Amino acid sequence: MSTMVAERLDEAGLKRLLGTAFEARAEEITILARQPLKGRVERVAVAVRGRPRSIIVKHVAPEIARRNRLVVERWLPTVGMRDATPSILGILTVPDPAHVWPVSGDLGARTLATLERDPARVEAAVALIARLHRSFADHALLGEVRLFGGDMGPATHSGNLRDAIRAVEALAPGAASSVARAALLERLLLRLRRLLRDAPRRAAV
C-alpha cells in the first residue's frame, strides 16, 4: 500500500467507474485489498453487492491506454479472438493529463513463469500466439496496428542491431588506450554482427 500506485489511485473514482461497469451504485462497491504487481500495475480485490471480483488497474500514458483499447475492442475481435484478452471495464482519468488508469478484468495469478509449469498450458499459449500471428499476416488492419501499436517485426530487430553496432563502434576511439576495454568492444561487435547476419534466418523461422 506504500507504492506510488497505491498513493495516487482515486478509489472513489474507481468505485464510480465499477458502478457503471457492473450496473451498481458506488456505495455498493467495497475495495477489499490492493496488490502491487509490477511498476504501476495493481490487482484490486473488490466486492460488488457482496460478490467478490478481481480487477487490474494500470497507471499509463493515454496513448498506451488507447492502444490497449484498440487491441481489446477492435483488433482482436476483427479476427475472432475477442476472448483472448480480458475486457476493459473503463478508463479512470485524473487531473494529470500525462496519465490515465485503464481498468480491466483479471485473468488470475497463474502465469507461465511459475515453477510448476504445466505443459498443456504452455502448449495452449504457444498455439494462441501462433494463431494471433497467422490471423494478422497480410491483414487489412495491419497498417493501423503498426501505426498505433508500433512495429516490432523483423525490420525492428535488424534496425536495433544496426543501432547497437553504431553505438559500440562510436566507443572504440575512447577505448583504444585500454587493451581489456578494446577487447570487450571487439567481442560485442562480433556478437552483434553475427546476430545481424542471422536476422534473415530468424525472420524466416
Side-chain angles (χ1 to χ4, degrees):
M1 293 292 292
S2 61
T3 65
M4 182 181 299
V5 173
E7 291 171 357
R8 299 177 63 177
L9 177 61
D10 176 9
E11 292 193 357
L14 178 61
K15 288 181 179 181
R16 289 192 296 271
L17 183 151
L18 294 176
T20 300
F22 296 136
E23 298 181 345
R25 299 192 305 275
E27 55 268 26
E28 293 177 312
I29 297 172
T30 304
I31 295 179
L32 304 173
R34 294 167 58 178
Q35 175 192 2
L37 297 179
K38 61 178 181 178
R40 297 184 173 188
V41 182
E42 278 193 51
R43 172 175 287 115
V44 181
V46 302
V48 182
R49 299 194 186 100
R51 180 184 176 186
R53 290 180 178 267
S54 182
I55 61 171
I56 300 294
V57 296
K58 301 179 181 181
H59 190 223
V60 300
E63 60 268 22
I64 295 176
R66 180 186 187 188
R67 182 188 310 154
N68 289 347
R69 175 152 262 172
L70 285 169
V71 168
V72 173
E73 298 178 354
R74 176 168 167 82
W75 297 339
L76 290 182
T78 298
V79 294
M81 296 185 66
R82 175 65 187 83
D83 293 339
T85 183
S87 60
I88 293 180
L89 302 174
I91 296 180
L92 181 62
T93 58
V94 292
D96 177 8
H99 294 92
V100 294
W101 292 86
V103 181
S104 64
D106 186 4
L107 293 179
R110 289 190 64 189
T111 71
L112 298 181
T114 58
L115 293 177
E116 305 80 16
R117 292 185 178 88
D118 181 351
R121 289 169 59 84
V122 175
E123 182 179 356
V126 171
L128 183 65
I129 293 170
R131 179 185 168 198
L132 176 66
H133 283 273
R134 286 197 308 270
S135 298
F136 278 99
D138 299 320
H139 195 280
L141 279 179
L142 198 53
E144 180 178 296
V145 172
R146 286 179 173 147
L147 176 63
F148 294 107
D151 188 351
M152 301 298 289
T156 301
H157 173 68
S158 299
N160 285 342
L161 287 170
R162 292 190 185 94
D163 289 343
I165 289 170
R166 282 190 289 268
V168 174
E169 287 175 338
L171 294 173
S177 60
S178 169
V179 175
R181 187 179 291 263
L184 173 61
L185 292 184
E186 185 59 29
R187 290 197 303 274
L188 284 172
L189 283 172
L190 287 173
R191 174 62 173 160
L192 290 168
R193 287 167 180 159
R194 191 180 304 122
L195 288 171
L196 184 58
R197 288 194 301 271
D198 190 47
R201 184 193 65 82
R202 285 174 172 263
V205 170

